[in-house]
């Protein structure tokens, strides 16, 4: 089987493969099988979280693939209920024990939690890094204001902000804040939960490159050095979502795609996290 080679981005000392496999909602045998297959065809980055309830299966897929542990970049995330310092360390240890790994490559704060001082949570996150439970630390769903606060408070460098990003959403402000601090942007829902696959303009651009609309959505992101973590439950789509490094969108196509962004383009509802108005 031909194994593809995937470029990486560098951020505050971390080297992160530009393509990862998202695993939200993948459960049981499907999860194990998809993780194993993805690694066999060349994916080298897997994204999970304690909240996804699949860390055990992700770890099983990793071992079943036969790929060396050190060749795979594994990310997991701490749920905001566990941001009090002692809770955070316990949650990190529990994630590692479900994954059956001695360390992850990247440990993220999954969502902001306004009820616990950010300085305390970041202090604990830095501590688990120093204890060797993770090689790198970062955040997810942080706004520009929160990134600035976090960078000022953290005891260890933050290597990314994982945020919703796809052609239907403008994230230029958060991206600029990340770049200012040498943090990578990791795009979740990079094919807009499948919506990109149905878009007529993306399909037209895709046809010109002999690609699919989903591949154009992913290419739009990686061409800006944004890390993408598309999810699929279908093994045949793993190769499709990875075949995004052998073509280039023109500057005009990039501009056209960026113009798809809408004020209401967000898919993930922030309100469920109890998020107040942060900006
Ligand atoms: N940090 C956070 O708060 C956060 C929030 C949301 C997600 N995430 C992470 O980001 C990952 C990706 O985001 P996501 O799962 O929300 O959405 P996504 O990857 O944009 O979309 C997944 C959906 O698209 C479909 N799909 C996959 N490949 C396709 C293709 N080539 N053509 C057409 N449809 C395709 C999948 O269906 P099939 O299964 O049928 O292929 C699935 O329904 C998650 O799995 C998770 O790891 C993080």
């Amino acid at each position: 089987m031909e194994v593809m080679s995937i470029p990486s981005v560098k951020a505050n000392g971390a080297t992160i493969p530009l393509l990862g496999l998202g695993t939200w909602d993948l459960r049981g045998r499907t999860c194990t099988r998809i993780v194993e297959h993805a690694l066999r065809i060349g994916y080298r980055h897997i994204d999970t979280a304690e909240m996804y309830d699949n860390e055990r299966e992700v770890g099983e897929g990793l071992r079943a693939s036969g790929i060396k542990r050190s060749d795979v970049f594994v990310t997991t995330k701490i749920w905001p209920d566990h941001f009090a310092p002692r809770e955070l360390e316990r949650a990190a240890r529990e994630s590692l024990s479900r994954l059956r790994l001695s360390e992850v490559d990247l440990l993220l704060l999954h969502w902001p939690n306004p009820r616990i001082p950010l300085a305390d949570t970041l202090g604990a996150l830095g501590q688990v890094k120093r204890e060797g439970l993770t090689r790198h630390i970062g955040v997810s769903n942080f706004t520009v204001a929160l990134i600035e606060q976090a960078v000022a408070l953290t005891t260890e460098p933050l290597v990314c902000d994982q945020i919703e990003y796809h052609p239907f959403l403008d994230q230029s402000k958060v991206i600029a804040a990340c770049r200012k601090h040498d943090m990578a942007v990791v795009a979740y829902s990079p094919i807009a939960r499948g919506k990109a696959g149905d878009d007529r303009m993306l399909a037209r651009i895709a046809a010109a490159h002999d690609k699919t609309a989903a591949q154009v959505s992913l290419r739009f992101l990686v061409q800006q050095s944004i890390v993408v973590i598309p999810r699929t439950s279908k093994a045949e789509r793993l190769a499709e979502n990875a075949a995004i490094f052998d073509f280039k969108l023109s500057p005009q196509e990039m501009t056209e795609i960026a113009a798809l962004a809408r004020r209401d383009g967000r898919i993930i509802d922030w309100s469920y996290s109890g998020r107040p108005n942060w900006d």
Side-chain angles (χ1 to χ4, degrees):
M1 194 185 306
E2 197 192 334
V3 172
M4 58 206 165
S5 149
I6 295 168
S8 305
V9 285
K10 290 197 187 300
N12 271 330
T15 303
I16 310 176
L18 265 176
L19 171 73
L21 174 70
T23 67
W24 175 74
D25 211 23
L26 298 179
R27 296 282 163 78
R29 289 267 322 131
T30 305
C31 181
T32 307
R33 199 175 48 86
I34 288 285
V35 170
E36 175 185 354
H37 191 71
L39 292 170
R40 288 209 170 159
I41 68 167
Y43 285 66
R44 290 293 179 268
H45 172 181
I46 310 287
D47 180 84
T48 182
E50 63 165 314
M51 194 274 258
Y52 300 170
D53 194 20
N54 65 9
E55 289 171 311
R56 224 174 282 280
E57 289 78 10
V58 166
E60 277 166 25
L62 180 56
R63 280 180 292 282
S65 73
I67 304 295
K68 238 170 60 195
R69 167 67 189 97
S70 55
D71 288 344
V72 185
F73 192 94
V74 179
T75 300
T76 195
K77 316 183 193 83
I78 308 268
W79 192 242
D81 290 353
H82 303 143
F83 282 3
R86 231 181 278 156
E87 283 276 302
L88 187 144
E89 170 153 359
R90 189 182 53 76
R93 289 190 187 281
E94 286 178 4
S95 280
L96 289 175
S97 110
R98 284 188 293 269
L99 284 159
R100 287 178 53 205
L101 295 178
S102 56
E103 62 170 14
V104 285
D105 296 277
L106 180 57
L107 185 64
L108 303 181
L109 302 180
H110 203 146
W111 286 88
N113 181 348
R115 290 169 296 278
I116 298 178
L118 187 54
D120 294 357
T121 303
L122 287 168
L125 194 63
Q127 180 62 26
V128 300
K129 182 188 167 198
R130 288 189 293 277
E131 284 170 13
L133 307 190
T134 185
R135 291 176 54 226
H136 304 286
I137 58 170
V139 295
S140 179
N141 297 302
F142 271 38
T143 59
V144 172
L146 280 171
I147 290 172
E148 293 299 337
Q149 281 179 39
V151 167
L153 291 168
T154 192
T155 53
E156 298 284 334
L158 300 169
V159 305
C160 83
D161 189 8
Q162 184 180 123
I163 54 169
E164 177 177 342
Y165 187 29
H166 43 69
F168 309 108
L169 191 62
D170 175 11
Q171 289 283 28
S172 48
K173 288 185 181 151
V174 181
I175 293 169
C178 286
R179 298 229 153 110
K180 180 172 143 200
H181 297 294
D182 195 27
M183 291 165 66
V185 176
V186 178
Y188 73 68
S189 308
I191 45 181
R193 292 250 159 115
K195 197 174 130 200
D198 304 327
D199 185 84
R200 283 172 57 186
M201 199 256 266
L202 294 180
R204 175 176 54 75
I205 293 175
H209 293 276
D210 205 11
K211 292 284 174 181
T212 65
Q215 287 172 320
V216 168
S217 182
L218 295 170
R219 177 71 209 178
F220 170 70
L221 301 171
V222 295
Q223 203 162 308
Q224 302 172 65
S225 301
I226 305 285
V227 179
V228 294
I229 49 169
R231 163 194 42 123
T232 181
S233 55
K234 300 187 173 72
E236 61 277 13
R237 278 183 166 163
L238 287 170
E240 176 186 339
N241 293 346
I244 53 172
F245 299 106
D246 57 354
F247 74 113
K248 208 165 178 244
L249 297 165
S250 69
Q252 193 196 327
E253 287 168 331
M254 291 294 284
T255 306
E256 268 186 86
I257 297 168
L260 286 172
R262 295 281 172 269
R263 284 189 71 80
D264 61 352
R266 198 178 279 285
I267 294 170
I268 304 293
D269 180 8
W270 282 53
S271 58
Y272 89 92
S273 69
R275 170 187 179 266
N277 187 7
W278 287 98
D279 293 312

